[in-house]
Amino acid sequence: MKINDHAPIESYAAHPNRYDKMPYRRCGKSGVLLPALSIGLWHNFGDYDNLANARMVLREAFDLGITHFDLANNYGPPYGSAEENFGRIMKADFSTHRDELFIASKAGYDMWPGPYGVGGSRKYLMSSLDQSLQRMNLDYVDLFYHHCPDPNTPIEETVAALDSIVRQGKALYVGISNYSADQTLAALRMFKELGTPCLIHQARYSMFDRWVEEGLIDVVGQHGVGMITFSPLAQGMLSHRYLNGIPQDSRAADSKSYLPAERVNEFLPKIKRLAEIAEERGQTLSQMALAWLLRDERVTSVLIGASSKEQLRENVVAVENLDFSEKELNTIQQILID
């Protein structure tokens, strides 16, 4: 007898050619290869989002060769819900592909009340990872980050906790995120003393936010550490979304978002000029913005978000044209500094 379900989600079978088109890059001096584009679950995977849609997005990502899924303890909202939902999707669709996936989580920002739910202490990091593993129903993560520097905790304690996490088998690799160049150097010295390498640094980086070029990207390059970038489209500014103003349903129109309308208006002349160059290259502005980050071989991977399969597919097309002429780079540079 068949179940009378008129809207079932079909079982997932991964695309047999999923590794054919996505380029993979070596992460620093490690043995790890990451896809040029990885998927972040910062937005669109919480309890207020559509779980069925989230499931379709992750299926599409894997079919496109994206093997790296990036999470954090407080992704949602509410906090923890992105990991819980990912755990459900993992069990339903990817359990037989666990060894093909590179799953990351993080801790550092506030997660639970009281003095032990935030920061860089050994207590917080190890407790948080245990909670993350439980939410995702995993025995280990491939990568665990300290999400942000904690000025109130000695760097020795934070790095020693990450070292212990690797030695306990709860993470295969560890990394840091949002550290300055000097903070990164201090952490790398500690990692070297303990004998556990720092695999990667995750940093915010886009055409409109280039702080990593003030020393950080040189540090990771010189020390054999990979770099993965987030917010590559500057919260959507580096896309077609705002070419004709601020739509009512956009982030910039939402007073609770991280993107104020004034900032969009400030950058609009640059956005329009960059869009013209992208069109000449046969790309969308978002595709060119992603390619521009990947022009630097020190950037291992770029984290992208997606609210739909169509948006994801559009952005992944960026890997088909990663080359820039000297003239294009000079023109882009002039637009960005004007």
Side-chain angles (χ1 to χ4, degrees), residues 108-153:
Y109 291 110
D110 61 296
M111 180 59 193
W112 63 84
Y116 314 123
V118 65
S121 70
R122 182 182 185 89
K123 167 72 172 174
Y124 173 50
L125 294 182
M126 301 190 78
S127 297
S128 183
L129 178 54
D130 284 344
Q131 293 180 19
S132 291
L133 293 174
Q134 185 174 19
R135 281 191 290 268
M136 294 187 286
N137 196 29
L138 296 176
D139 296 325
Y140 68 95
V141 290
D142 298 279
L143 173 61
F144 184 69
Y145 293 93
H146 185 218
H147 206 167
C148 57
D150 177 7
N152 299 312
T153 300

Side-chain angles (χ1 to χ4, degrees), residues 193-321:
E193 289 178 13
L194 293 172
T196 294
C198 176
L199 179 75
I200 197 166
H201 187 295
Q202 185 174 136
R204 190 183 63 252
Y205 187 22
S206 73
M207 284 180 165
F208 291 162
D209 190 350
R210 302 172 65 180
W211 74 275
V212 304
E213 297 174 6
E214 299 170 4
L216 178 60
I217 197 165
D218 292 328
V219 168
V220 298
Q222 292 163 6
H223 288 80
V225 176
M227 171 167 280
I228 185 167
T229 68
F230 68 91
S231 293
L233 304 183
Q235 295 292 306
M237 286 197 294
L238 288 164
S239 72
H240 68 279
R241 190 79 165 122
Y242 299 105
L243 286 176
N244 298 309
I246 299 176
Q248 289 299 312
D249 61 346
S250 66
R251 287 185 188 176
D254 183 354
S255 61
K256 298 179 181 179
S257 79
Y258 294 98
L259 181 63
E262 306 82 61
R263 182 169 172 80
V264 175
N265 290 326
E266 176 189 351
F267 279 88
L268 190 55
K270 296 179 189 282
I271 294 170
K272 290 183 175 181
R273 292 169 65 190
L274 290 169
E276 292 173 358
I277 298 174
E279 186 175 2
E280 292 171 0
R281 286 171 50 83
Q283 292 181 310
T284 65
L285 176 53
S286 59
Q287 289 165 355
M288 185 180 78
L290 297 172
W292 184 85
L293 290 171
L294 289 165
R295 81 197 188 286
D296 192 324
E297 62 182 13
R298 295 171 295 184
V299 175
T300 309
S301 186
V302 175
L303 276 173
I304 57 175
S307 58
S308 68
K309 295 192 300 180
E310 293 74 23
Q311 182 186 34
L312 182 64
R313 282 196 295 265
E314 177 187 332
N315 285 334
V316 169
V317 173
V319 303
E320 297 177 10
N321 184 10

Side-chain angles (χ1 to χ4, degrees), residues 105-108 119-126 128-129 141 143-148 154-177 179 187-188 190-191 194-200:
S105 193
K106 320 176 196 72
S121 70
R122 182 182 185 89
K123 167 72 172 174
Y124 173 50
L125 294 182
M126 301 190 78
S128 183
L129 178 54
V141 290
L143 173 61
F144 184 69
Y145 293 93
H146 185 218
H147 206 167
C148 57
I155 189 66
E156 292 85 357
E157 179 177 347
T158 299
V159 173
L162 295 174
D163 170 74
S164 295
I165 283 168
V166 171
R167 295 181 187 279
Q168 291 176 3
K170 294 179 180 179
L172 301 185
Y173 303 91
V174 286
I176 53 178
S177 179
Y179 279 50
L188 293 181
M190 282 296 306
F191 278 115
L194 293 172
T196 294
C198 176
L199 179 75
I200 197 166

Side-chain angles (χ1 to χ4, degrees), residues 25-180:
R25 294 183 164 198
R26 189 160 302 281
C27 191
K29 292 182 179 178
S30 75
V32 173
L33 295 173
L34 294 181
L37 297 176
S38 300
I39 189 162
L41 282 72
W42 181 15
H43 301 292
N44 306 310
F45 291 86
D47 282 351
Y48 297 98
D49 300 296
N50 186 308
L51 181 60
N53 182 67
R55 190 174 174 186
M56 295 301 107
V57 168
L58 289 187
R59 286 181 175 191
E60 186 72 15
F62 191 54
D63 284 345
L64 291 169
I66 296 177
T67 55
H68 179 29
F69 296 168
D70 179 86
L71 299 105
N73 58 355
N74 62 354
Y75 286 176
Y79 288 175
S81 61
E83 288 185 328
E84 289 177 349
N85 288 327
F86 173 73
R88 296 185 182 102
I89 297 169
M90 180 75 195
K91 181 179 180 180
D93 295 332
F94 300 111
S95 58
T96 60
H97 298 285
R98 176 63 184 96
D99 293 335
E100 296 178 67
L101 294 174
F102 200 86
I103 301 168
S105 193
K106 320 176 196 72
Y109 291 110
D110 61 296
M111 180 59 193
W112 63 84
Y116 314 123
V118 65
S121 70
R122 182 182 185 89
K123 167 72 172 174
Y124 173 50
L125 294 182
M126 301 190 78
S127 297
S128 183
L129 178 54
D130 284 344
Q131 293 180 19
S132 291
L133 293 174
Q134 185 174 19
R135 281 191 290 268
M136 294 187 286
N137 196 29
L138 296 176
D139 296 325
Y140 68 95
V141 290
D142 298 279
L143 173 61
F144 184 69
Y145 293 93
H146 185 218
H147 206 167
C148 57
D150 177 7
N152 299 312
T153 300
I155 189 66
E156 292 85 357
E157 179 177 347
T158 299
V159 173
L162 295 174
D163 170 74
S164 295
I165 283 168
V166 171
R167 295 181 187 279
Q168 291 176 3
K170 294 179 180 179
L172 301 185
Y173 303 91
V174 286
I176 53 178
S177 179
N178 297 309
Y179 279 50
S180 69

Side-chain angles (χ1 to χ4, degrees), residues 281 323-334:
R281 286 171 50 83
D323 296 325
F324 288 82
S325 69
E326 185 174 351
K327 180 181 178 182
E328 287 173 331
L329 289 174
N330 289 338
T331 303
I332 291 171
Q333 174 69 1
Q334 192 59 50

